[in-house]
Amino acid sequence: MSSPAIDIQKVATLSRLKLTPDEAVLYQSQLGKILDYMDVLVGYDLDSVEPTAHAVPAQPHLREDEPRPSVERSLMLANAPKSSHDQFQISKVIE
Amino acid sequence: MSLATETITTLRRRLDAGEITSADIIRDVAAAIDAQNPEIGAYLSWDTAAALAESTSSIPGPLSGIPVAIKDNINVTGQPCTCGSRILAENYRAPYDATSITQLRAAGAIPFGRLNMDEFAMGSSTENSALGITRNPRDLSRIPGGSSGGSAAAVASHTAIAALGSDTGGSIRQPAALCGVVGVKPTYGRVSRFGLVAFASSLDQIGTLTQTVEDSALLLNHLCGYDPRDSTSLDTPVPDFTALLGRDIKGLRIGLPKEYFISGIHPAVTAATDAAIKQLESLGAHIQEISLPHTEAGVSTYYVLAPAEASTNLARFDGVRYGHRTASPADLLDHYMSSRAEGFGPEVKRRILLGTYVLSSGYYDAYYLKAQRARTLISRDFDQAFQKVDLIISPTTPSPAHKLGELKNNPLQAYLEDIFTIPANLAGLPAMSVPAGFALEDGKKLPIGLQFIARPLDEATMLSAAHAFEQAAQIR
């Protein structure tokens, strides 16, 4: 199961991370080594095993879908890098 | 003698007798921080005036007036919560209390001080903090462990009475072992994760770092419990964890996993573990060898699953709602990519990339699904072992604290140091580290930890055995 060549720029874009050329080289090589270590799993017969997402088979409990008070808007906006008219301000998305 | 050197238990007695006040404790802790933090770097920030103000209206309760230091990834209203990252260091202030904080406050405790950590809890040395390193109080040239390195170093240096940490792959137990304090990770779902900044949601658990087992039991009495705001919180009664302390452990069946006694373990760790086995036998426990055959799969399974979950959890850092925002982005995509590139450090980037890769189309089955299947095998190992024994013990770490910088350029080697602690997270089991001895290096006594792992929700048996060991072994 040795890892195939990783297209690090593609992964970086999917990750929304801008990498410098040096970082791209470094992470490409480090990720390859870490994934090669997954070879440890090759010896196990895994196809017949059910996957586990959560160790405790908890049934996630959901609350009723009813409106209720939340954290105050002013408190949430206080942490925003930019806000305007009581809203988060984002970068321009339309031409 | 500074009150900062005392335990919760002894302070409780003195507070109740009227000998001291909460403000006295806070002033002594603040003085200890002022004196030692420049050297050790356990704290990122602390607000003595706010804690003193809170001490005047502390709610009566078992923890009334006791200051508890908090890892910097647990939200406390109005305080910073940097997660050891530049991305949150600029101006973030928590708009609410984590449930663990609400519960501590309800028992009278006072959150005081923010503790250093590996960035977003990713690391085992606290060297991945973007805000400065923390040194091991036992030897300042060495790491305190991590990611809750600030929590362990603060308790070990008597600059905190007790601390909260979080444990995703060993982040409470490993620094507790390396600094010589008690560290407890409860069963997954025991303590609410609401208000803990998420790293890997199926593995993260809040726990305690204290000087004694009794102090951890006392804190856990109040930290554990159902929380409707955490969808994986367990709706299970919480026993009085202090009630079983002091009972004898005669007849307790303790398993030693043969797969944990691998080559490459530091001889002093082996010696301390052997001595601990003898000590537990002398207390009446029956020690037997057991097998956890898929132990070897733990590290690789963890380093697929945890980064996968981290890559999705950390997608929330978009430079819009909170956190760092790049100065002049070319467009929206550049806004995201540059804000995140400037805000996250190298280990966080490495894990986001790794996590994104193993979840990406074409690789999901080969890595992520395979790791989830391996996780099932690791859980089954424990299920089978716990049919034969009541508890499992092992070294907490393969070696005592490394020198600062020693593992910095070899992430895989650093990951392999987590081999004994990761399986309990994958299986969701309660586990803890207790001081078990020392390695002598360069004339310094470097602490060694003994790990106890218990059945799900059986913290009581684990704490009782650890307490019996602690009282008998008297490791100082």
Side-chain angles (χ1 to χ4, degrees):
Chain A
M1 200 172 62
S2 280
S3 57
I6 299 166
D7 182 348
I8 197 74
Q9 286 303 348
K10 184 184 166 199
V11 179
T13 306
L14 286 172
S15 304
R16 299 291 184 261
L17 278 174
K18 185 185 268 183
L19 299 184
T20 64
D22 286 351
E23 282 180 321
V25 172
L26 178 71
Y27 291 136
Q28 171 121 28
S29 120
Q30 288 180 337
L31 258 54
K33 279 182 200 149
I34 293 165
L35 289 168
D36 283 344
Y37 187 69
M38 282 290 283
D39 283 349
V40 168
L41 300 183
V42 165
Y44 301 124
D45 176 18
L46 293 170
D47 290 341
S48 59
V49 182
E50 285 296 309
T52 295
H54 269 90
V56 179
Q59 293 297 322
H61 34 81
L62 304 173
R63 67 178 172 92
E64 292 301 311
D65 188 14
E66 289 163 353
R68 59 180 188 181
S70 185
V71 179
E72 266 180 58
R73 177 186 294 230
S74 61
L75 276 174
M76 296 309 285
L77 286 170
N79 280 320
K82 279 190 179 179
S83 65
S84 169
H85 299 90
D86 271 352
Q87 295 176 55
F88 296 115
Q89 193 177 334
I90 62 165
S91 298
K92 191 176 165 185
V93 289
I94 43 175
E95 295 302 321
Chain B
M1 186 93 158
S2 167
L3 297 174
T5 62
E6 299 206 20
T7 64
I8 298 176
T9 317
T10 56
L11 290 171
R12 172 85 275 128
R13 221 170 289 138
R14 298 183 65 182
L15 282 163
D16 290 347
E19 287 171 32
I20 56 169
T21 66
S22 172
D24 294 334
I25 305 170
I26 291 164
R27 273 191 289 267
D28 277 8
V29 170
I33 299 172
D34 284 337
Q36 294 193 60
N37 205 57
E39 200 167 53
I40 294 171
Y43 285 82
L44 292 172
S45 60
W46 63 98
D47 187 341
T48 309
L52 284 171
E54 211 172 315
S55 74
T56 60
S57 56
S58 175
I59 294 166
L63 301 175
S64 186
I66 306 288
V68 178
I70 311 295
K71 187 176 181 180
D72 212 15
N73 61 350
I74 300 172
N75 281 277
V76 176
T77 306
Q79 296 188 10
C81 186
T82 68
C83 296
S85 181
R86 268 192 299 275
I87 212 160
L88 281 170
E90 286 163 22
N91 58 9
Y92 180 82
R93 286 289 180 279
Y96 61 91
D97 273 347
T99 299
S100 54
I101 301 300
T102 307
Q103 296 190 194
L104 282 185
R105 286 195 205 275
I110 300 162
F112 177 43
R114 311 290 307 172
L115 297 163
N116 200 14
M117 56 184 282
D118 285 301
E119 186 174 0
F120 287 102
M122 297 177 193
S124 310
S125 70
T126 315
E127 291 170 299
N128 294 332
S129 170
L131 308 176
I133 58 166
T134 298
R135 294 171 186 274
N136 191 315
R138 303 281 187 155
D139 177 349
L140 297 175
S141 70
R142 293 179 187 269
I143 59 166
S147 68
S148 309
S151 304
V155 174
S157 62
H158 298 299
T159 58
I161 307 297
L164 293 194
S166 66
D167 191 315
T168 306
S171 279
I172 288 174
R173 289 159 285 156
Q174 186 257 17
L178 301 190
C179 289
V181 301
V182 175
V184 184
K185 178 199 95 70
T187 309
Y188 179 80
R190 262 292 199 201
V191 180
S192 169
R193 292 181 293 112
F194 179 79
L196 166 70
V197 179
F199 160 17
S201 307
S202 82
L203 303 161
D204 295 341
Q205 187 57 205
I206 290 174
T208 54
L209 294 105
T210 56
Q211 291 183 52
T212 64
V213 176
E214 186 176 10
D215 276 5
S216 273
L218 201 52
L219 285 173
L220 289 169
N221 276 352
H222 304 284
L223 286 168
C224 294
Y226 175 65
D227 179 14
R229 290 183 297 184
D230 170 358
S231 69
T232 58
S233 170
L234 295 172
D235 193 358
T236 311
V238 180
D240 177 356
F241 294 120
T242 60
L244 280 181
L245 303 183
R247 288 211 191 158
D248 76 49
I249 58 166
K250 276 196 186 75
L252 194 71
R253 299 169 305 165
I254 299 181
L256 276 175
K258 64 178 181 194
E259 292 81 4
Y260 282 33
F261 295 87
I262 49 173
S263 63
I265 297 186
H266 191 286
V269 173
T270 307
T273 309
D274 288 345
I277 293 166
K278 287 202 180 75
Q279 183 72 260
L280 287 162
E281 277 178 331
S282 76
L283 292 168
H286 296 304
I287 311 280
Q288 55 178 287
E289 186 178 272
I290 56 161
S291 177
L292 299 170
H294 300 95
T295 295
E296 199 192 3
V299 173
S300 49
T301 299
Y302 177 85
Y303 280 99
V304 170
L305 297 180
E309 295 187 25
S311 71
T312 50
N313 273 326
L314 269 58
R316 71 190 56 173
F317 292 94
D318 56 8
V320 173
R321 293 159 299 163
Y322 37 73
H324 174 76
R325 176 182 179 125
T326 194
S328 39
D331 52 29
L332 186 63
L333 184 62
D334 184 39
H335 164 112
Y336 293 143
M337 294 187 64
S338 293
S339 297
R340 290 161 61 81
E342 292 162 15
F344 291 136
E347 182 63 29
V348 175
K349 288 180 188 174
R350 184 156 43 238
R351 296 207 199 181
I352 290 174
L353 291 166
L354 182 58
T356 304
Y357 180 76
V358 298
L359 288 175
S360 65
S361 172
Y363 303 103
Y364 182 92
D365 286 3
Y367 293 110
Y368 185 68
L369 199 59
K370 199 163 267 208
Q372 282 195 322
R373 292 184 199 278
R375 185 175 185 180
T376 305
L377 295 179
I378 291 162
S379 286
R380 280 187 197 161
D381 283 356
F382 283 107
D383 291 346
Q384 282 160 12
F386 282 126
Q387 287 174 8
K388 297 185 195 123
V389 296
D390 306 306
L391 278 178
I392 293 171
I393 59 166
S394 78
T396 308
T397 62
S399 50
H402 289 280
K403 291 269 188 191
L404 287 159
E406 202 175 319
L407 295 178
K408 194 137 199 189
N409 296 316
N410 192 343
L412 182 58
Q413 184 57 42
Y415 297 171
L416 291 171
E417 294 282 308
D418 302 338
I419 182 163
F420 300 140
T421 49
I422 278 174
N425 297 83
L426 290 170
L429 302 171
M432 67 186 289
S433 181
V434 185
F438 298 95
L440 269 175
E441 299 266 352
D442 313 330
K444 300 267 171 60
K445 281 169 78 179
L446 305 180
I448 290 166
L450 180 72
Q451 177 175 237
F452 291 77
I453 306 173
R455 294 188 183 98
L457 297 171
D458 197 12
E459 288 87 355
T461 301
M462 176 177 84
L463 289 160
S464 140
H467 182 258
F469 172 74
E470 173 194 54
Q471 297 301 311
Q474 291 292 321
I475 306 293
R476 292 271 183 267

Short mmCIF file of all heavy atoms in Angstrom, two decimals, chain A residues 9 11-13 16 24 26 30 33 38 40-41 46 49-50 55-56 63 65 72 74 78-79 86-87 93:
data_model
loop_
_atom_site.label_atom_id
_atom_site.label_comp_id
_atom_site.label_asym_id
_atom_site.label_seq_id
_atom_site.Cartn_x
_atom_site.Cartn_y
_atom_site.Cartn_z
N GLN A 9 0.10 20.28 -4.38
CA GLN A 9 -0.59 21.55 -4.67
C GLN A 9 -2.10 21.36 -4.70
O GLN A 9 -2.86 22.20 -4.24
CB GLN A 9 -0.09 22.17 -5.98
CG GLN A 9 1.30 22.78 -5.91
CD GLN A 9 1.44 23.88 -4.82
OE1 GLN A 9 0.47 24.37 -4.26
NE2 GLN A 9 2.68 24.25 -4.53
N VAL A 11 -3.75 19.05 -3.05
CA VAL A 11 -4.18 18.86 -1.65
C VAL A 11 -4.20 20.21 -0.92
O VAL A 11 -5.11 20.50 -0.13
CB VAL A 11 -3.26 17.86 -0.94
CG1 VAL A 11 -3.68 17.68 0.52
CG2 VAL A 11 -3.27 16.51 -1.64
N ALA A 12 -3.20 21.04 -1.20
CA ALA A 12 -3.12 22.36 -0.54
C ALA A 12 -4.33 23.22 -0.91
O ALA A 12 -4.89 23.92 -0.07
CB ALA A 12 -1.82 23.06 -0.90
N THR A 13 -4.73 23.16 -2.18
CA THR A 13 -5.90 23.95 -2.59
C THR A 13 -7.16 23.43 -1.92
O THR A 13 -7.98 24.19 -1.42
CB THR A 13 -6.05 23.94 -4.12
OG1 THR A 13 -4.81 24.38 -4.69
CG2 THR A 13 -7.17 24.86 -4.58
N ARG A 16 -7.30 24.67 1.43
CA ARG A 16 -7.32 26.12 1.55
C ARG A 16 -6.09 26.63 2.32
O ARG A 16 -6.19 27.37 3.29
CB ARG A 16 -8.61 26.61 2.23
CG ARG A 16 -9.89 26.25 1.48
CD ARG A 16 -9.99 27.04 0.17
NE ARG A 16 -11.22 26.79 -0.55
CZ ARG A 16 -11.33 25.95 -1.59
NH1 ARG A 16 -10.28 25.25 -2.02
NH2 ARG A 16 -12.47 25.82 -2.22
N ALA A 24 6.01 23.17 0.03
CA ALA A 24 5.45 22.13 -0.83
C ALA A 24 6.40 20.94 -0.90
O ALA A 24 5.97 19.78 -0.78
CB ALA A 24 5.17 22.69 -2.22
N LEU A 26 8.79 20.10 1.29
CA LEU A 26 8.91 19.49 2.61
C LEU A 26 7.70 18.61 2.93
O LEU A 26 7.83 17.44 3.31
CB LEU A 26 9.05 20.59 3.67
CG LEU A 26 9.13 20.11 5.12
CD1 LEU A 26 10.47 19.42 5.36
CD2 LEU A 26 8.96 21.27 6.10
N GLN A 30 7.36 14.57 3.66
CA GLN A 30 6.94 14.12 4.99
C GLN A 30 5.63 13.32 4.93
O GLN A 30 5.50 12.29 5.59
CB GLN A 30 6.79 15.31 5.93
CG GLN A 30 8.13 15.92 6.32
CD GLN A 30 7.97 17.11 7.26
OE1 GLN A 30 6.93 17.74 7.30
NE2 GLN A 30 9.03 17.41 7.99
N LYS A 33 6.23 9.80 3.74
CA LYS A 33 6.81 8.92 4.77
C LYS A 33 5.74 8.49 5.79
O LYS A 33 5.70 7.33 6.22
CB LYS A 33 7.94 9.64 5.51
CG LYS A 33 9.25 9.61 4.74
CD LYS A 33 10.35 10.29 5.54
CE LYS A 33 11.48 10.69 4.61
NZ LYS A 33 12.18 11.89 5.05
N MET A 38 1.54 3.53 7.02
CA MET A 38 0.25 2.82 6.99
C MET A 38 0.42 1.37 6.52
O MET A 38 -0.50 0.57 6.67
CB MET A 38 -0.71 3.53 6.04
CG MET A 38 -1.34 4.77 6.60
SD MET A 38 -2.54 4.39 7.90
CE MET A 38 -3.92 3.82 6.90
N VAL A 40 1.81 -0.80 7.88
CA VAL A 40 1.60 -1.65 9.07
C VAL A 40 0.24 -2.36 8.97
O VAL A 40 0.09 -3.50 9.41
CB VAL A 40 1.64 -0.76 10.34
CG1 VAL A 40 1.14 -1.53 11.55
CG2 VAL A 40 3.05 -0.27 10.59
N LEU A 41 -0.73 -1.69 8.37
CA LEU A 41 -2.08 -2.25 8.32
C LEU A 41 -2.26 -3.32 7.25
O LEU A 41 -3.27 -4.02 7.23
CB LEU A 41 -3.11 -1.13 8.08
CG LEU A 41 -3.16 -0.01 9.13
CD1 LEU A 41 -4.26 0.98 8.79
CD2 LEU A 41 -3.38 -0.57 10.53
N LEU A 46 -8.84 -6.68 6.89
CA LEU A 46 -9.75 -5.63 7.32
C LEU A 46 -11.07 -5.62 6.58
O LEU A 46 -12.03 -4.98 7.02
CB LEU A 46 -9.07 -4.26 7.17
CG LEU A 46 -7.88 -4.00 8.10
CD1 LEU A 46 -7.14 -2.73 7.69
CD2 LEU A 46 -8.35 -3.88 9.54
N VAL A 49 -14.17 -6.42 8.48
CA VAL A 49 -14.36 -5.72 9.75
C VAL A 49 -15.18 -4.45 9.52
O VAL A 49 -14.93 -3.70 8.59
CB VAL A 49 -12.98 -5.33 10.35
CG1 VAL A 49 -13.15 -4.64 11.69
CG2 VAL A 49 -12.09 -6.55 10.48
N GLU A 50 -16.15 -4.24 10.39
CA GLU A 50 -16.95 -3.01 10.30
C GLU A 50 -16.11 -1.81 10.72
O GLU A 50 -15.37 -1.90 11.70
CB GLU A 50 -18.16 -3.09 11.24
CG GLU A 50 -19.27 -4.00 10.74
CD GLU A 50 -19.88 -3.49 9.44
OE1 GLU A 50 -20.26 -2.31 9.39
OE2 GLU A 50 -19.94 -4.28 8.47
N ALA A 55 -15.91 5.48 19.28
CA ALA A 55 -15.61 4.33 20.13
C ALA A 55 -16.82 3.92 20.95
O ALA A 55 -17.10 2.74 21.11
CB ALA A 55 -14.46 4.69 21.07
N VAL A 56 -17.52 4.89 21.48
CA VAL A 56 -18.70 4.59 22.28
C VAL A 56 -19.89 4.63 21.33
O VAL A 56 -20.11 5.63 20.66
CB VAL A 56 -18.88 5.63 23.40
CG1 VAL A 56 -20.11 5.34 24.21
CG2 VAL A 56 -17.63 5.65 24.27
N ARG A 63 -31.40 18.03 19.73
CA ARG A 63 -32.46 18.77 20.43
C ARG A 63 -33.60 19.03 19.46
O ARG A 63 -33.44 18.89 18.25
CB ARG A 63 -31.91 20.07 21.00
CG ARG A 63 -31.49 21.09 19.97
CD ARG A 63 -31.02 22.35 20.67
NE ARG A 63 -30.43 23.29 19.74
CZ ARG A 63 -31.11 24.26 19.13
NH1 ARG A 63 -32.40 24.39 19.33
NH2 ARG A 63 -30.50 25.08 18.29
N ASP A 65 -35.98 21.06 17.12
CA ASP A 65 -35.64 22.15 16.22
C ASP A 65 -36.52 23.37 16.52
O ASP A 65 -37.43 23.70 15.78
CB ASP A 65 -35.81 21.67 14.77
CG ASP A 65 -35.30 22.71 13.79
OD1 ASP A 65 -34.59 23.65 14.21
OD2 ASP A 65 -35.62 22.60 12.59
N GLU A 72 -25.08 36.58 22.21
CA GLU A 72 -25.45 37.89 21.65
C GLU A 72 -24.65 38.25 20.41
O GLU A 72 -23.44 37.99 20.36
CB GLU A 72 -25.19 38.97 22.70
CG GLU A 72 -26.40 39.29 23.54
CD GLU A 72 -26.05 40.38 24.54
OE1 GLU A 72 -25.61 41.47 24.11
OE2 GLU A 72 -26.18 40.10 25.74
N SER A 74 -23.55 41.06 19.33
CA SER A 74 -22.42 41.98 19.52
C SER A 74 -21.18 41.22 20.02
O SER A 74 -20.05 41.54 19.65
CB SER A 74 -22.81 43.08 20.51
OG SER A 74 -23.12 42.49 21.76
N ALA A 78 -17.67 40.89 17.98
CA ALA A 78 -16.47 41.47 18.60
C ALA A 78 -15.21 40.70 18.20
O ALA A 78 -14.11 41.25 18.19
CB ALA A 78 -16.62 41.47 20.12
N ASN A 79 -15.37 39.42 17.86
CA ASN A 79 -14.21 38.62 17.47
C ASN A 79 -13.95 38.65 15.96
O ASN A 79 -12.95 38.08 15.50
CB ASN A 79 -14.42 37.16 17.90
CG ASN A 79 -14.10 36.96 19.37
OD1 ASN A 79 -13.13 37.53 19.88
ND2 ASN A 79 -14.92 36.19 20.05
N ASP A 86 -23.49 45.48 11.59
CA ASP A 86 -23.88 44.34 12.42
C ASP A 86 -23.74 42.99 11.72
O ASP A 86 -24.45 42.03 12.03
CB ASP A 86 -25.35 44.49 12.91
CG ASP A 86 -25.42 45.25 14.21
OD1 ASP A 86 -24.34 45.51 14.79
OD2 ASP A 86 -26.53 45.59 14.63
N GLN A 87 -22.84 42.94 10.73
CA GLN A 87 -22.63 41.68 10.02
C GLN A 87 -21.14 41.45 9.80
O GLN A 87 -20.35 42.39 9.85
CB GLN A 87 -23.36 41.73 8.65
CG GLN A 87 -24.87 41.82 8.80
CD GLN A 87 -25.56 41.98 7.47
OE1 GLN A 87 -25.37 41.17 6.57
NE2 GLN A 87 -26.35 43.03 7.35
N VAL A 93 -17.05 38.86 -3.52
CA VAL A 93 -17.24 37.58 -4.21
C VAL A 93 -17.88 37.73 -5.58
O VAL A 93 -17.97 36.77 -6.33
CB VAL A 93 -18.09 36.59 -3.37
CG1 VAL A 93 -17.31 36.09 -2.19
CG2 VAL A 93 -19.41 37.21 -2.95
#
